[in-house]
Amino acid sequence: MNQIARSHLIMFLFALSFLVPSLEASEGDADPIYKTCLEDCEISGCVGEMCFQHCKFSSDGKPIDGPWYLQEPLYQKWKQWDCRSDCRYHCMIAREEQRWKLGGKPIKYHGKWPFQRVYAIQEPAAVAFSAISLAIQFHGWLSFFILLNYKLPLRPDKKTYYEYTGLFHIYAILAMNFWFWSAVCHTRDVELTEKLDYSSAVALVGFSFILTILRTFDVRDEASRVMVAAPLIAFVMTHILYLNFYKLDYGLNTKVCMAMGVANLLIWGVWAGITSHPSRWKVWLFNVGGTIALLLEIYDFPPYKGFIDAHALWHVANIPLAYICWSFVRDDAVFRTSTLVNKTK
């Protein structure tokens, strides 16, 4: 292993050492002023001079002291902002304003930083960056498809020369699926959207790990591919079933995704250090950006002005990473196709 690959190994192991999650409870949950505000709001339906219409209804939707037509319209109920969630949000914002005036720093409430809502969107910055990443993934996949089918030579049976075509099509579908559900989850974080977000994330990272092994070790035989993929697919599916039907464990899911992410970067880093691929510098560039993105997930900090936190910056980092990734995939397709075409001559 050369010096560059060795330095990347040390950097990845350093990042891996921080994967143990913090077990601290949210400080805001125990704040007496916040708790008093929450209790009063759930009784009165008001925080200060702001009152919430749906606090006048019981859990089954029946009006407590008003006619049925005062209920929130069905076309607005998609937001899932009920009495308790609205009370939590506005009590949190009111308490944070008090803390800010006294020189206090933001604290977490119910495991989350205090974000400023925009209309019904819970984390607008993360939603916007997720949407951009979705667009980049779609553009990358479309350009990859056009390159293979309309610009590069095809085999006599009209199939592509590139041996990893189908795998990258699956990767594109999983990536676009993840960024879609990421945008939905950050729009409104409820149990269903969390399950879809976490499940799609581990599915994408797990398949990326399979793809990393198959490409870097140049596994082209179908039987060998199945032997590599089967145990990893079984592990990922078991984990998804655990999240959805046993316990929605954010800490465990983060550890699983980050462990596979670090392994991905490590394998690609070693491969780039020993290969003579003409676009290996893009792998180095991706690895540096990927390491920065991992560190943003590890070193958490409160949202600036209530909008941009470490996780939002992680979303920002993934935008150029997606572009670099698909740029390398296109270069790899050209490189492998030209190699195979020359061998057939």
Side-chain angles (χ1 to χ4, degrees), residues 1-2 5 216-217 267-277 280 284:
M1 185 185 300
N2 63 25
T216 56
F217 289 93
I267 294 172
W268 277 112
V270 173
W271 179 84
I274 62 178
T275 188
S276 58
H277 196 288
R280 59 187 178 275
W284 288 122

Side-chain angles (χ1 to χ4, degrees), residues 60 83 88 106 111 123 127 131 144 149-150 183 222 232-233 241 259 287 298 322 330 341:
D60 60 0
C83 180
R88 282 184 174 182
E123 298 179 39
V127 172
F144 174 69
N149 291 278
Y150 297 100
E222 290 298 326
L232 292 173
I233 291 175
L241 291 172
N287 273 17
I298 295 169
R330 291 192 297 269
V341 168

Side-chain angles (χ1 to χ4, degrees), residues 32-42 46-47 87 90-91 94:
I33 298 177
Y34 169 76
K35 291 172 68 176
T36 301
C37 174
L38 195 58
E39 291 169 0
D40 292 343
C41 178
E42 291 183 356
C46 300
V47 175
C87 285
H90 289 284
C91 284

Side-chain angles (χ1 to χ4, degrees), residues 110-159:
H110 307 285
K112 301 181 184 298
W113 289 115
F115 285 94
Q116 291 281 352
R117 284 180 357 197
V118 175
Y119 298 106
I121 300 176
Q122 192 167 332
E123 298 179 39
V127 172
F129 299 142
S130 294
I132 294 172
S133 288
L134 173 59
I136 295 294
Q137 290 288 349
F138 176 75
H139 174 269
W141 169 72
L142 184 62
S143 61
F144 174 69
F145 178 85
I146 293 173
L147 173 70
L148 287 175
N149 291 278
Y150 297 100
K151 296 183 179 181
L152 294 178
L154 298 173
R155 296 178 185 271
D157 58 2
K158 300 302 180 180
K159 294 183 179 179

Side-chain angles (χ1 to χ4, degrees), residues 87-329:
C87 285
R88 282 184 174 182
Y89 172 75
H90 289 284
C91 284
M92 174 188 71
I93 295 300
R95 180 61 182 131
E96 282 300 299
E97 289 178 354
Q98 295 171 356
R99 288 174 51 81
W100 178 77
K101 291 176 181 178
L102 296 172
K105 295 182 179 180
I107 57 176
K108 287 187 176 182
Y109 297 81
H110 307 285
K112 301 181 184 298
W113 289 115
F115 285 94
Q116 291 281 352
R117 284 180 357 197
V118 175
Y119 298 106
I121 300 176
Q122 192 167 332
E123 298 179 39
V127 172
F129 299 142
S130 294
I132 294 172
S133 288
L134 173 59
I136 295 294
Q137 290 288 349
F138 176 75
H139 174 269
W141 169 72
L142 184 62
S143 61
F144 174 69
F145 178 85
I146 293 173
L147 173 70
L148 287 175
N149 291 278
Y150 297 100
K151 296 183 179 181
L152 294 178
L154 298 173
R155 296 178 185 271
D157 58 2
K158 300 302 180 180
K159 294 183 179 179
T160 63
Y161 279 96
Y162 190 49
E163 309 98 319
Y164 305 94
T165 299
L167 293 173
F168 277 108
H169 285 326
I170 297 173
Y171 169 82
I173 293 171
L174 291 175
M176 289 186 286
N177 175 71
F178 164 66
W179 288 114
F180 173 79
W181 289 117
S182 174
V184 171
C185 184
H186 287 96
T187 297
R188 182 66 179 99
D189 185 1
V190 295
E191 184 178 359
L192 176 61
T193 58
E194 280 187 346
K195 286 181 176 180
L196 291 167
D197 182 35
Y198 297 173
S199 299
S200 58
V202 75
L204 173 60
V205 177
F207 186 79
S208 298
F209 190 34
I210 294 171
L211 188 52
T212 294
I213 295 172
L214 297 182
R215 178 61 190 92
T216 56
F217 289 93
D218 200 21
V219 181
R220 284 176 277 178
D221 178 69
E222 290 298 326
S224 299
R225 287 184 174 185
V226 172
M227 290 177 64
V228 171
L232 292 173
I233 291 175
F235 169 75
V236 169
M237 290 302 299
T238 301
H239 180 68
I240 290 174
L241 291 172
Y242 175 87
L243 292 175
N244 284 273
F245 300 104
Y246 183 71
K247 183 180 180 182
L248 188 61
D249 192 331
Y250 174 77
L252 175 63
N253 194 58
T254 300
K255 287 196 292 183
V256 169
C257 289
M258 291 188 69
M260 288 192 290
V262 169
N264 275 336
L265 294 176
L266 177 58
I267 294 172
W268 277 112
V270 173
W271 179 84
I274 62 178
T275 188
S276 58
H277 196 288
S279 295
R280 59 187 178 275
W281 66 271
K282 293 184 180 180
V283 176
W284 288 122
L285 186 60
F286 183 92
N287 273 17
V288 171
T291 303
I292 294 172
L294 280 175
L295 293 176
L296 287 171
E297 284 288 85
I298 295 169
Y299 295 105
D300 196 14
F301 57 81
Y304 178 72
K305 299 294 186 180
F307 293 104
I308 305 293
D309 68 335
H311 186 66
L313 292 180
W314 176 83
H315 281 271
V316 174
N318 275 278
I319 295 172
L321 289 178
Y323 183 84
I324 295 168
C325 173
W326 281 109
S327 177
F328 170 78
V329 171

